[in-house]
Amino acid sequence: MVSPREFEKIYREYRDMVYRVCLRFGRGDPDWAYDTSQEVFVHLWEKRDALDSVGAMKSFIYRSAVNYCINKLNRSTLFGL
């Protein structure tokens, strides 16, 4: 399990990358991107047990952000949010 200190390091290292991914998916809306990037990291925190076995952390976090954005957009389209 990733410790809170290790997770903080991961957050600091990858927060800008995750924000940029979210900004692209959010069509340039900075508020949507900020909120969504925070949601990505909350989701990663909840799944922190899996982070120990990740070999390529940058790729994993990038793909997690992309998948989260796609799912969020699909939910909003499906439910008209």
Side-chain angles (χ1 to χ4, degrees), residues 54-71:
V54 172
M57 186 64 69
K58 183 176 181 177
S59 297
F60 178 80
I61 292 177
Y62 177 86
R63 194 69 221 166
S64 295
V66 168
N67 289 342
Y68 193 90
C69 289
I70 290 170
N71 289 337

Side-chain angles (χ1 to χ4, degrees), residues 40-76:
V40 168
F41 281 104
V42 168
H43 180 74
L44 288 170
W45 173 254
E46 292 169 350
K47 305 293 184 188
R48 66 190 176 276
D49 292 342
L51 293 178
D52 278 338
S53 62
V54 172
M57 186 64 69
K58 183 176 181 177
S59 297
F60 178 80
I61 292 177
Y62 177 86
R63 194 69 221 166
S64 295
V66 168
N67 289 342
Y68 193 90
C69 289
I70 290 170
N71 289 337
K72 184 173 181 173
L73 291 170
N74 283 340
R75 283 190 309 270
S76 68

Side-chain angles (χ1 to χ4, degrees), residues 9-67:
K9 183 180 174 196
I10 290 168
Y11 173 76
R12 287 181 185 199
E13 187 171 346
Y14 297 111
R15 66 183 171 197
D16 292 338
M17 177 189 69
V18 170
Y19 177 79
R20 287 190 304 272
V21 168
C22 295
L23 194 59
R24 284 194 303 267
F25 276 93
R27 297 184 184 126
D29 181 349
D31 293 329
W32 191 92
Y34 178 79
D35 290 344
T36 305
S37 64
Q38 295 303 306
E39 292 168 14
V40 168
F41 281 104
V42 168
H43 180 74
L44 288 170
W45 173 254
E46 292 169 350
K47 305 293 184 188
R48 66 190 176 276
D49 292 342
L51 293 178
D52 278 338
S53 62
V54 172
M57 186 64 69
K58 183 176 181 177
S59 297
F60 178 80
I61 292 177
Y62 177 86
R63 194 69 221 166
S64 295
V66 168
N67 289 342

